[in-house]
Amino acid sequence: MTFTPASVHRAWSRPEKMLMSGSVLAVVAILMIVASLLIREHGSATESAVQSANNVVQLIDADVQRNAELYDTSLQGMIATWQDPEVIALAPQLRQLVIFDRSTAAPYKGDLVILDETGDIVADSLSVIPREDNFSDRPVFQQHRESASTTMRVGGPFKARWGFKDWCISFSRRLPSPDGRFIGIASASMRLTYFNQLFRGLDIGKGSTVNLISADGILLARQAEQPDKYAIGRDFSGLPNFQRILKTNSGSFTAVSDLDGTTRLYTFSRVGDLPLIVIVAQSKDVVYAVWKRNAALVAGATSLLCLGILWLSYLLGKQLKLRHLAERELAELASTDGLTGLANRRRLDQVFRQEWSRGMRSGKPLSLLMIDVDHFKAFNDRHGHHGGDVALRNVAQTLANTIRRPGDLAARYGGEEFLVVLPETDLQGARIIAEKIRVAIESLPPYAGDRHSVTVSIGIASRQPNAGDKQAQLFSDADEALYRAKHNGRNRTEFNPPSKTA
């Protein structure tokens, strides 16, 4: 198979665009990273370390905020369903599934509960019958009770009383009431193992740490396991460095650690609107070790890599284009009738099997129109094979223009016979479409001096596909109806009796 230059330079397909876009984005990302490294190498060593740490902080911020949004979505869903009288009227097991159906997306989730105004559990994600437990002693519960705000609050850390029984924090919202009275809260707990897993993937160097601390100064997570004095739950609120961090939402500074006396570069940021602070504490030794990299070697190697990626992507994209063009032309040739441009028998069989299977799944009827050109042999004798071909093309074009739904298919069945597959169409709908086709073809101008135009007879069959039926029976029904149409005078539509159709 050969391609013209015009066909080769056609617009790129979606996979080719994705390949080139991905390659360009990869190259741009690589260049941006390298440029950032070179700029940091050229500039201040301290500014370079701050930028690197900020990247880590922003990565953690985005991840924590995204998961906090998942928990907030769960809370809002719990509240909405809990206050729906129809949900409350459901059976307990079904009610539990409905109330907590949005909680599955939350990673490292603990229990999700709805508490009444006394702190007792009234809906529980872990049990159809709520556990007998009371959380009124939790500070976050007391904060909700004392404040009319319905915004989400973060509480903890605390040891879970059930399930995994490890350290957790909670996300909670006050249940709204028309009169503003406190009627309880919806609460979802997150296991702090989530932060440990998140931090383990970060390599910021020996002697450096990543920390998550509440706005109250309570340590929630640390990069690696540390001695007990750094355990979760330790209070840092009175330390000078933490007091310095509280003065602004984000920033960086160099200071001596309040814990071990080591000089570190602290880069920090508050996590959105949440009362959480991410702190990256970098050892000065690690900071200067990174700066000693050879910028020229990195730039040269990166340039070669980017050129190689772009060149290989271009070659691969060109080959993909040629392959897609070849596949498209082969597919068109394999599924199209050469004379009429309609679908051929092969395509018809594929579509019919697909629609039959879809009809069995959806429970909707499938209709079939069998169309035969009237007196075509006599027409062929009068006008020759060329005239017959022109008539068949005209009929096919009219047929294709008359059926407009994307799921309908018109195909040449053989000789002067055509078939139309009508998914999700009952007998009445198929009759309307068949009559439109018959009238449209009859309205064609007569050919080469004939007194009358070409006409067609149409047999209609419709069935509800099911496993007990044979697909061939629908063809047989349509063929029988076509026979009656031709026997009753042609240029007409006939359909099977209701006893044979769905």
Side-chain angles (χ1 to χ4, degrees):
M1 180 174 292
T2 59
F3 300 97
T4 64
S7 67
V8 173
H9 290 90
R10 273 194 237 166
W12 288 49
S13 65
R14 183 178 179 184
E16 295 155 10
K17 290 179 179 178
M18 291 178 64
L19 171 65
M20 292 306 300
S21 298
S23 300
V24 171
L25 288 175
V27 168
V28 169
I30 293 172
L31 291 175
M32 289 180 65
I33 294 172
V34 172
S36 176
L37 289 173
L38 294 177
I39 292 172
R40 289 197 295 268
E41 184 70 19
H42 183 266
S44 168
T46 301
E47 291 178 355
S48 174
V50 170
Q51 180 65 43
S52 177
N54 271 327
N55 290 340
V56 175
V57 169
Q58 295 305 318
L59 174 65
I60 298 171
D61 277 4
D63 201 289
V64 173
Q65 287 192 69
R66 181 170 61 251
N67 284 284
E69 290 173 0
L70 288 176
Y71 277 88
D72 195 26
T73 299
S74 296
L75 292 175
Q76 294 183 49
M78 290 161 56
I79 293 172
T81 52
W82 176 252
Q83 295 184 328
D84 188 338
E86 295 183 1
V87 174
I88 300 303
L90 297 174
Q93 187 170 7
L94 182 56
R95 181 171 64 237
Q96 185 201 32
L97 292 175
V98 172
I99 292 175
F100 301 105
D101 69 328
R102 301 190 193 179
S103 65
T104 55
Y108 296 94
K109 68 180 180 65
D111 54 346
L112 293 89
V113 295
I114 294 179
L115 309 178
D116 63 14
E117 67 273 14
T118 66
D120 290 332
I121 302 176
V122 292
D124 190 353
S125 66
L126 299 183
S127 175
V128 175
I129 300 175
R131 292 165 289 166
E132 295 183 2
D133 203 346
N134 186 279
F135 295 89
S136 60
D137 59 331
R138 294 272 172 85
V140 70
F141 180 87
Q142 298 168 10
Q143 292 169 8
H144 279 298
R145 184 170 56 193
E146 295 168 1
S147 172
S149 173
T150 58
T151 58
M152 186 177 70
R153 293 179 181 269
V154 180
F158 56 88
K159 280 276 191 177
R161 300 175 186 173
W162 304 82
F164 295 95
K165 295 186 178 180
D166 52 5
W167 285 100
C168 299
I169 60 174
S170 68
F171 298 88
S172 58
R173 278 181 174 269
R174 176 177 170 140
L175 297 178
S177 63
D179 57 359
R181 183 172 52 88
F182 178 71
I183 59 174
I185 69 170
S187 176
S189 61
M190 172 192 279
R191 299 165 55 206
L192 292 182
T193 306
Y194 156 70
F195 296 108
N196 294 332
Q197 292 290 75
L198 176 62
F199 292 170
R200 279 191 191 125
L202 303 173
D203 183 11
I204 60 171
K206 185 178 179 180
S208 302
T209 61
V210 180
N211 309 271
L212 183 69
I213 299 179
S214 72
D216 296 327
I218 306 301
L219 179 65
L220 302 179
R222 197 173 179 89
Q223 181 191 37
E225 294 187 6
Q226 300 289 341
D228 289 343
K229 65 178 181 177
Y230 303 130
I232 292 174
R234 176 169 178 177
D235 187 356
F236 291 165
S237 59
L239 299 181
N241 286 341
F242 183 76
Q243 292 296 323
R244 187 172 179 180
I245 288 172
L246 286 180
K247 294 179 180 179
T248 181
N249 286 333
S250 62
S252 63
F253 60 91
T254 301
V256 177
S257 170
D258 295 318
L259 301 177
D260 58 10
T262 301
T263 302
R264 286 190 171 91
L265 174 65
Y266 293 90
T267 304
F268 62 94
S269 175
R270 186 178 291 264
V271 181
D273 295 327
L274 302 176
L276 302 174
I277 302 171
V278 178
I279 304 174
V280 177
Q282 296 176 281
S283 169
K284 289 182 66 176
D285 294 337
V286 174
V287 170
Y288 287 104
V290 173
W291 296 335
K292 294 178 182 179
R293 291 180 179 176
N294 191 325
L297 179 61
V298 172
T302 303
S303 298
L304 290 176
L305 175 63
C306 293
L307 290 175
I309 291 174
L310 292 175
W311 178 246
L312 290 176
S313 298
Y314 172 76
L315 293 179
L316 182 57
K318 193 173 182 180
Q319 291 303 314
L320 281 174
K321 182 183 291 187
L322 294 174
R323 177 182 173 183
H324 291 158
L325 289 173
E327 289 176 348
R328 188 182 301 116
E329 292 193 8
L330 288 174
E332 291 176 356
L333 290 174
S335 61
T336 305
D337 177 66
L339 175 63
T340 63
L342 298 179
N344 59 16
R345 283 288 296 273
R346 178 174 178 272
R347 177 63 176 162
L348 171 66
D349 292 340
Q350 290 177 342
V351 171
F352 185 79
R353 286 195 298 269
Q354 293 172 357
E355 297 302 338
W356 184 272
S357 299
R358 184 179 287 114
M360 287 196 295
R361 292 193 302 271
S362 67
K364 295 183 179 180
L366 175 65
S367 296
L368 190 67
L369 308 182
M370 187 169 286
I371 304 168
D372 185 79
V373 180
D374 295 331
H375 306 296
F376 185 73
K377 185 177 184 304
F379 184 94
N380 225 17
D381 292 340
R382 289 197 308 274
H383 301 291
H385 289 296
H386 174 72
D389 290 347
V390 172
L392 290 178
R393 281 195 290 267
N394 291 337
V395 169
Q397 184 64 40
T398 304
L399 187 58
N401 292 338
T402 305
I403 59 171
R404 299 182 180 276
R405 298 187 307 176
D408 298 342
L409 177 76
R412 187 183 181 193
Y413 195 54
E416 68 274 18
E417 284 190 329
F418 300 87
L419 278 179
V420 176
V421 180
L422 301 172
E424 301 182 7
T425 305
D426 58 13
L427 180 60
Q428 183 61 29
R431 290 178 62 189
I432 294 174
I433 295 174
E435 185 61 21
K436 287 182 179 179
I437 292 172
R438 187 195 67 78
V439 171
I441 294 174
E442 186 181 20
S443 300
L444 292 173
Y447 180 79
D450 282 351
R451 294 178 57 189
H452 303 287
S453 64
V454 173
T455 61
V456 294
S457 300
I458 304 176
I460 309 167
S462 181
R463 278 183 175 271
Q464 168 56 58
N466 59 68
D469 281 347
K470 293 183 179 179
Q471 299 178 18
Q473 187 59 47
L474 187 58
F475 283 86
S476 178
D477 292 346
D479 186 62
E480 182 179 336
L482 175 62
Y483 177 80
R484 289 202 307 273
K486 294 165 69 174
H487 183 266
N488 292 337
R490 303 180 188 273
N491 191 23
R492 61 190 296 116
T493 62
E494 293 286 349
F495 58 93
N496 275 338
S499 62
K500 289 190 176 184
T501 56

Short mmCIF file of all heavy atoms in Angstrom, two decimals, residues 101-151:
data_model
loop_
_atom_site.label_atom_id
_atom_site.label_comp_id
_atom_site.label_asym_id
_atom_site.label_seq_id
_atom_site.Cartn_x
_atom_site.Cartn_y
_atom_site.Cartn_z
N ASP A 101 -21.23 5.76 52.42
CA ASP A 101 -20.83 5.28 51.10
C ASP A 101 -19.69 6.08 50.51
O ASP A 101 -18.96 5.61 49.67
CB ASP A 101 -22.02 5.30 50.14
CG ASP A 101 -22.46 6.71 49.80
OD1 ASP A 101 -22.32 7.61 50.66
OD2 ASP A 101 -22.95 6.92 48.69
N ARG A 102 -19.47 7.36 50.93
CA ARG A 102 -18.40 8.18 50.36
C ARG A 102 -17.06 8.01 51.09
O ARG A 102 -16.07 8.62 50.72
CB ARG A 102 -18.79 9.66 50.41
CG ARG A 102 -20.07 9.98 49.66
CD ARG A 102 -20.26 11.47 49.54
NE ARG A 102 -21.60 11.83 49.12
CZ ARG A 102 -22.03 13.07 48.96
NH1 ARG A 102 -21.21 14.08 49.16
NH2 ARG A 102 -23.27 13.33 48.58
N SER A 103 -17.04 7.20 52.11
CA SER A 103 -15.83 7.12 52.92
C SER A 103 -14.79 6.20 52.34
O SER A 103 -13.64 6.20 52.78
CB SER A 103 -16.20 6.63 54.32
OG SER A 103 -16.71 5.30 54.27
N THR A 104 -15.14 5.40 51.32
CA THR A 104 -14.18 4.41 50.81
C THR A 104 -13.00 5.06 50.11
O THR A 104 -11.95 4.47 49.98
CB THR A 104 -14.88 3.48 49.82
OG1 THR A 104 -15.50 4.26 48.79
CG2 THR A 104 -15.95 2.65 50.52
N ALA A 105 -13.17 6.31 49.62
CA ALA A 105 -12.07 6.96 48.88
C ALA A 105 -11.00 7.53 49.79
O ALA A 105 -9.93 7.91 49.33
CB ALA A 105 -12.63 8.08 48.01
N ALA A 106 -11.26 7.61 51.07
CA ALA A 106 -10.31 8.24 51.98
C ALA A 106 -9.21 7.26 52.36
O ALA A 106 -9.50 6.17 52.87
CB ALA A 106 -11.03 8.73 53.23
N PRO A 107 -7.92 7.59 52.12
CA PRO A 107 -6.83 6.67 52.46
C PRO A 107 -6.56 6.66 53.95
O PRO A 107 -6.73 7.65 54.64
CB PRO A 107 -5.65 7.24 51.68
CG PRO A 107 -5.93 8.70 51.58
CD PRO A 107 -7.43 8.82 51.49
N TYR A 108 -6.11 5.51 54.44
CA TYR A 108 -5.73 5.34 55.85
C TYR A 108 -6.84 5.81 56.78
O TYR A 108 -6.59 6.39 57.82
CB TYR A 108 -4.42 6.06 56.16
CG TYR A 108 -3.25 5.50 55.42
CD1 TYR A 108 -2.86 6.06 54.21
CD2 TYR A 108 -2.56 4.41 55.91
CE1 TYR A 108 -1.79 5.54 53.51
CE2 TYR A 108 -1.48 3.88 55.22
CZ TYR A 108 -1.10 4.45 54.01
OH TYR A 108 -0.04 3.93 53.32
N LYS A 109 -8.07 5.58 56.39
CA LYS A 109 -9.18 6.05 57.21
C LYS A 109 -9.33 5.16 58.43
O LYS A 109 -9.08 3.96 58.40
CB LYS A 109 -10.48 6.06 56.41
CG LYS A 109 -11.01 4.70 56.03
CD LYS A 109 -12.30 4.82 55.25
CE LYS A 109 -12.86 3.45 54.86
NZ LYS A 109 -13.25 2.66 56.03
N GLY A 110 -9.73 5.79 59.54
CA GLY A 110 -10.12 5.05 60.72
C GLY A 110 -11.63 4.96 60.74
O GLY A 110 -12.27 4.86 59.70
N ASP A 111 -12.21 5.05 61.94
CA ASP A 111 -13.66 4.96 62.00
C ASP A 111 -14.30 6.30 61.68
O ASP A 111 -13.71 7.36 61.88
CB ASP A 111 -14.10 4.46 63.37
CG ASP A 111 -13.54 5.30 64.50
OD1 ASP A 111 -12.62 6.09 64.25
OD2 ASP A 111 -14.04 5.17 65.62
N LEU A 112 -15.52 6.23 61.15
CA LEU A 112 -16.33 7.40 60.86
C LEU A 112 -17.59 7.29 61.70
O LEU A 112 -18.25 6.23 61.68
CB LEU A 112 -16.68 7.51 59.39
CG LEU A 112 -15.51 7.77 58.42
CD1 LEU A 112 -14.90 6.46 57.97
CD2 LEU A 112 -15.99 8.56 57.21
N VAL A 113 -17.92 8.34 62.41
CA VAL A 113 -19.05 8.27 63.32
C VAL A 113 -19.85 9.56 63.27
O VAL A 113 -19.35 10.61 62.86
CB VAL A 113 -18.59 8.02 64.78
CG1 VAL A 113 -17.93 6.66 64.92
CG2 VAL A 113 -17.64 9.14 65.25
N ILE A 114 -21.09 9.46 63.70
CA ILE A 114 -21.93 10.63 63.95
C ILE A 114 -22.28 10.60 65.43
O ILE A 114 -22.75 9.58 65.95
CB ILE A 114 -23.19 10.60 63.08
CG1 ILE A 114 -22.81 10.74 61.59
CG2 ILE A 114 -24.14 11.73 63.49
CD1 ILE A 114 -23.99 10.70 60.67
N LEU A 115 -22.00 11.71 66.12
CA LEU A 115 -22.23 11.81 67.55
C LEU A 115 -23.40 12.73 67.82
O LEU A 115 -23.61 13.73 67.11
CB LEU A 115 -20.97 12.36 68.26
CG LEU A 115 -19.64 11.66 67.94
CD1 LEU A 115 -18.51 12.36 68.69
CD2 LEU A 115 -19.69 10.20 68.32
N ASP A 116 -24.17 12.40 68.86
CA ASP A 116 -25.25 13.29 69.25
C ASP A 116 -24.72 14.38 70.17
O ASP A 116 -23.51 14.50 70.40
CB ASP A 116 -26.41 12.51 69.89
CG ASP A 116 -25.99 11.82 71.18
OD1 ASP A 116 -24.89 12.16 71.72
OD2 ASP A 116 -26.72 10.95 71.65
N GLU A 117 -25.62 15.18 70.72
CA GLU A 117 -25.20 16.32 71.51
C GLU A 117 -24.49 15.94 72.81
O GLU A 117 -23.80 16.76 73.43
CB GLU A 117 -26.40 17.23 71.82
CG GLU A 117 -27.45 16.60 72.74
CD GLU A 117 -28.47 15.79 71.95
OE1 GLU A 117 -28.20 15.51 70.77
OE2 GLU A 117 -29.53 15.44 72.51
N THR A 118 -24.63 14.68 73.24
CA THR A 118 -23.95 14.23 74.46
C THR A 118 -22.63 13.54 74.17
O THR A 118 -21.92 13.17 75.11
CB THR A 118 -24.87 13.27 75.23
OG1 THR A 118 -25.06 12.07 74.45
CG2 THR A 118 -26.21 13.91 75.55
N GLY A 119 -22.31 13.34 72.89
CA GLY A 119 -21.06 12.67 72.53
C GLY A 119 -21.21 11.19 72.29
O GLY A 119 -20.23 10.50 71.98
N ASP A 120 -22.44 10.65 72.40
CA ASP A 120 -22.66 9.23 72.12
C ASP A 120 -22.72 8.98 70.63
O ASP A 120 -23.16 9.83 69.85
CB ASP A 120 -23.98 8.76 72.77
CG ASP A 120 -23.87 8.72 74.28
OD1 ASP A 120 -22.74 8.52 74.80
OD2 ASP A 120 -24.91 8.88 74.94
N ILE A 121 -22.28 7.79 70.23
CA ILE A 121 -22.30 7.41 68.80
C ILE A 121 -23.73 7.02 68.42
O ILE A 121 -24.34 6.15 69.04
CB ILE A 121 -21.35 6.24 68.53
CG1 ILE A 121 -19.91 6.59 68.95
CG2 ILE A 121 -21.38 5.85 67.06
CD1 ILE A 121 -18.94 5.44 68.79
N VAL A 122 -24.23 7.65 67.35
CA VAL A 122 -25.56 7.29 66.83
C VAL A 122 -25.48 6.69 65.44
O VAL A 122 -26.46 6.13 64.96
CB VAL A 122 -26.48 8.53 66.83
CG1 VAL A 122 -26.81 8.94 68.25
CG2 VAL A 122 -25.86 9.68 66.05
N ALA A 123 -24.36 6.82 64.76
CA ALA A 123 -24.13 6.15 63.46
C ALA A 123 -22.65 5.81 63.38
O ALA A 123 -21.80 6.64 63.72
CB ALA A 123 -24.56 7.03 62.29
N ASP A 124 -22.35 4.60 62.92
CA ASP A 124 -20.99 4.07 63.04
C ASP A 124 -20.60 3.35 61.77
O ASP A 124 -21.33 2.47 61.30
CB ASP A 124 -20.95 3.11 64.24
CG ASP A 124 -19.55 2.68 64.60
OD1 ASP A 124 -18.60 3.03 63.84
OD2 ASP A 124 -19.37 2.02 65.61
N SER A 125 -19.45 3.71 61.19
CA SER A 125 -19.00 3.04 59.97
C SER A 125 -18.51 1.62 60.23
O SER A 125 -18.43 0.81 59.31
CB SER A 125 -17.87 3.84 59.32
OG SER A 125 -16.72 3.85 60.15
N LEU A 126 -18.16 1.31 61.48
CA LEU A 126 -17.62 -0.01 61.80
C LEU A 126 -18.67 -1.00 62.24
O LEU A 126 -18.39 -2.20 62.33
CB LEU A 126 -16.55 0.11 62.91
CG LEU A 126 -15.33 0.97 62.59
CD1 LEU A 126 -14.36 0.92 63.75
CD2 LEU A 126 -14.66 0.49 61.31
N SER A 127 -19.87 -0.55 62.52
CA SER A 127 -20.87 -1.45 63.07
C SER A 127 -22.27 -0.97 62.69
O SER A 127 -22.55 0.23 62.73
CB SER A 127 -20.73 -1.52 64.59
OG SER A 127 -21.76 -2.30 65.17
N VAL A 128 -23.10 -1.92 62.29
CA VAL A 128 -24.49 -1.58 61.99
C VAL A 128 -25.17 -1.03 63.24
O VAL A 128 -25.89 -0.03 63.20
CB VAL A 128 -25.24 -2.80 61.44
CG1 VAL A 128 -26.72 -2.47 61.25
CG2 VAL A 128 -24.62 -3.26 60.13
N ILE A 129 -24.93 -1.72 64.36
CA ILE A 129 -25.41 -1.22 65.65
C ILE A 129 -24.29 -0.36 66.24
O ILE A 129 -23.19 -0.86 66.49
CB ILE A 129 -25.76 -2.38 66.60
CG1 ILE A 129 -26.86 -3.25 65.97
CG2 ILE A 129 -26.19 -1.85 67.96
CD1 ILE A 129 -27.19 -4.47 66.78
N PRO A 130 -24.49 0.94 66.42
CA PRO A 130 -23.41 1.82 66.88
C PRO A 130 -22.77 1.31 68.18
O PRO A 130 -23.45 0.79 69.06
CB PRO A 130 -24.11 3.17 67.09
CG PRO A 130 -25.30 3.11 66.19
CD PRO A 130 -25.74 1.69 66.19
N ARG A 131 -21.46 1.46 68.25
CA ARG A 131 -20.74 1.07 69.46
C ARG A 131 -21.16 1.95 70.64
O ARG A 131 -21.52 3.11 70.47
CB ARG A 131 -19.23 1.22 69.24
CG ARG A 131 -18.65 0.23 68.23
CD ARG A 131 -17.27 0.67 67.81
NE ARG A 131 -17.34 1.85 66.96
CZ ARG A 131 -16.29 2.61 66.66
NH1 ARG A 131 -15.11 2.35 67.18
NH2 ARG A 131 -16.43 3.66 65.88
N GLU A 132 -21.07 1.38 71.81
CA GLU A 132 -21.38 2.13 73.02
C GLU A 132 -20.11 2.84 73.48
O GLU A 132 -19.25 2.26 74.15
CB GLU A 132 -21.90 1.19 74.11
CG GLU A 132 -23.24 0.55 73.75
CD GLU A 132 -23.78 -0.31 74.87
OE1 GLU A 132 -23.12 -0.38 75.95
OE2 GLU A 132 -24.84 -0.90 74.68
N ASP A 133 -19.97 4.06 73.03
CA ASP A 133 -18.78 4.84 73.37
C ASP A 133 -19.18 6.31 73.40
O ASP A 133 -20.18 6.71 72.80
CB ASP A 133 -17.68 4.60 72.33
CG ASP A 133 -16.29 4.91 72.91
OD1 ASP A 133 -16.22 5.53 73.98
OD2 ASP A 133 -15.29 4.50 72.27
N ASN A 134 -18.39 7.09 74.11
CA ASN A 134 -18.70 8.51 74.25
C ASN A 134 -17.43 9.32 74.02
O ASN A 134 -16.37 8.99 74.55
CB ASN A 134 -19.27 8.81 75.64
CG ASN A 134 -19.74 10.24 75.75
OD1 ASN A 134 -18.94 11.14 75.97
ND2 ASN A 134 -21.04 10.46 75.59
N PHE A 135 -17.56 10.37 73.20
CA PHE A 135 -16.40 11.18 72.84
C PHE A 135 -16.54 12.62 73.31
O PHE A 135 -15.90 13.53 72.78
CB PHE A 135 -16.22 11.16 71.31
CG PHE A 135 -15.88 9.82 70.76
CD1 PHE A 135 -16.88 8.94 70.37
CD2 PHE A 135 -14.56 9.43 70.61
CE1 PHE A 135 -16.57 7.69 69.84
CE2 PHE A 135 -14.24 8.18 70.09
CZ PHE A 135 -15.26 7.32 69.71
N SER A 136 -17.37 12.84 74.30
CA SER A 136 -17.57 14.22 74.76
C SER A 136 -16.33 14.77 75.45
O SER A 136 -16.23 15.99 75.64
CB SER A 136 -18.77 14.27 75.72
OG SER A 136 -18.53 13.43 76.85
N ASP A 137 -15.38 13.88 75.81
CA ASP A 137 -14.16 14.36 76.45
C ASP A 137 -13.14 14.88 75.47
O ASP A 137 -12.13 15.48 75.86
CB ASP A 137 -13.54 13.23 77.29
CG ASP A 137 -13.21 12.02 76.43
OD1 ASP A 137 -13.90 11.80 75.39
OD2 ASP A 137 -12.27 11.28 76.76
N ARG A 138 -13.38 14.67 74.18
CA ARG A 138 -12.44 15.13 73.18
C ARG A 138 -12.50 16.66 73.06
O ARG A 138 -13.61 17.24 72.97
CB ARG A 138 -12.75 14.50 71.82
CG ARG A 138 -12.54 12.99 71.78
CD ARG A 138 -11.11 12.65 71.42
NE ARG A 138 -10.85 11.23 71.56
CZ ARG A 138 -11.10 10.32 70.62
NH1 ARG A 138 -11.64 10.70 69.48
NH2 ARG A 138 -10.80 9.06 70.82
N PRO A 139 -11.34 17.32 73.01
CA PRO A 139 -11.36 18.79 72.89
C PRO A 139 -12.10 19.28 71.65
O PRO A 139 -12.79 20.30 71.70
CB PRO A 139 -9.87 19.14 72.82
CG PRO A 139 -9.18 18.01 73.54
CD PRO A 139 -9.98 16.79 73.23
N VAL A 140 -11.97 18.55 70.53
CA VAL A 140 -12.62 19.02 69.31
C VAL A 140 -14.14 18.95 69.45
O VAL A 140 -14.87 19.80 68.91
CB VAL A 140 -12.13 18.20 68.09
CG1 VAL A 140 -12.66 16.78 68.13
CG2 VAL A 140 -12.54 18.88 66.79
N PHE A 141 -14.65 17.96 70.19
CA PHE A 141 -16.09 17.89 70.42
C PHE A 141 -16.56 19.10 71.23
O PHE A 141 -17.60 19.72 70.94
CB PHE A 141 -16.43 16.59 71.16
CG PHE A 141 -17.90 16.42 71.44
CD1 PHE A 141 -18.74 15.85 70.51
CD2 PHE A 141 -18.45 16.86 72.65
CE1 PHE A 141 -20.09 15.69 70.76
CE2 PHE A 141 -19.80 16.71 72.91
CZ PHE A 141 -20.62 16.13 71.97
N GLN A 142 -15.78 19.45 72.24
CA GLN A 142 -16.13 20.60 73.06
C GLN A 142 -16.07 21.90 72.27
O GLN A 142 -16.88 22.82 72.47
CB GLN A 142 -15.21 20.65 74.28
CG GLN A 142 -15.35 19.42 75.18
CD GLN A 142 -14.24 19.32 76.20
OE1 GLN A 142 -13.46 20.27 76.38
NE2 GLN A 142 -14.15 18.19 76.90
N GLN A 143 -15.09 21.99 71.34
CA GLN A 143 -15.00 23.19 70.50
C GLN A 143 -16.24 23.32 69.62
O GLN A 143 -16.78 24.43 69.45
CB GLN A 143 -13.74 23.12 69.64
CG GLN A 143 -12.44 23.23 70.43
CD GLN A 143 -11.23 22.89 69.59
OE1 GLN A 143 -11.33 22.71 68.37
NE2 GLN A 143 -10.07 22.80 70.24
N HIS A 144 -16.70 22.22 69.03
CA HIS A 144 -17.91 22.27 68.21
C HIS A 144 -19.12 22.66 69.05
O HIS A 144 -20.00 23.41 68.59
CB HIS A 144 -18.17 20.89 67.58
CG HIS A 144 -17.35 20.62 66.35
ND1 HIS A 144 -17.45 21.38 65.21
CD2 HIS A 144 -16.42 19.67 66.08
CE1 HIS A 144 -16.61 20.91 64.29
NE2 HIS A 144 -15.98 19.87 64.79
N ARG A 145 -19.17 22.16 70.27
CA ARG A 145 -20.32 22.45 71.12
C ARG A 145 -20.37 23.93 71.50
O ARG A 145 -21.44 24.53 71.62
CB ARG A 145 -20.25 21.58 72.36
CG ARG A 145 -21.46 21.73 73.30
CD ARG A 145 -21.42 20.66 74.38
NE ARG A 145 -20.15 20.70 75.11
CZ ARG A 145 -19.74 19.74 75.93
NH1 ARG A 145 -20.49 18.66 76.13
NH2 ARG A 145 -18.57 19.85 76.57
N GLU A 146 -19.20 24.53 71.68
CA GLU A 146 -19.14 25.92 72.14
C GLU A 146 -19.22 26.93 70.99
O GLU A 146 -19.55 28.09 71.21
CB GLU A 146 -17.85 26.15 72.92
CG GLU A 146 -17.79 25.33 74.20
CD GLU A 146 -16.40 25.34 74.84
OE1 GLU A 146 -15.50 26.01 74.27
OE2 GLU A 146 -16.21 24.66 75.85
N SER A 147 -18.92 26.48 69.76
CA SER A 147 -18.93 27.40 68.62
C SER A 147 -20.03 27.01 67.65
O SER A 147 -20.24 25.82 67.37
CB SER A 147 -17.57 27.36 67.91
OG SER A 147 -17.61 28.12 66.70
N ALA A 148 -20.72 27.99 67.08
CA ALA A 148 -21.80 27.73 66.13
C ALA A 148 -21.28 27.51 64.71
O ALA A 148 -22.06 27.23 63.81
CB ALA A 148 -22.79 28.90 66.13
N SER A 149 -19.98 27.63 64.51
CA SER A 149 -19.41 27.47 63.16
C SER A 149 -19.56 26.02 62.69
O SER A 149 -19.37 25.08 63.46
CB SER A 149 -17.93 27.87 63.17
OG SER A 149 -17.34 27.57 61.93
N THR A 150 -19.90 25.86 61.41
CA THR A 150 -20.03 24.52 60.82
C THR A 150 -18.84 24.17 59.93
O THR A 150 -18.90 23.21 59.16
CB THR A 150 -21.32 24.43 59.99
OG1 THR A 150 -21.29 25.44 58.96
CG2 THR A 150 -22.54 24.60 60.85
N THR A 151 -17.75 24.93 60.00
CA THR A 151 -16.57 24.61 59.21
C THR A 151 -15.89 23.37 59.76
O THR A 151 -16.07 22.98 60.91
CB THR A 151 -15.57 25.79 59.23
OG1 THR A 151 -15.22 26.07 60.59
CG2 THR A 151 -16.18 27.02 58.59
#
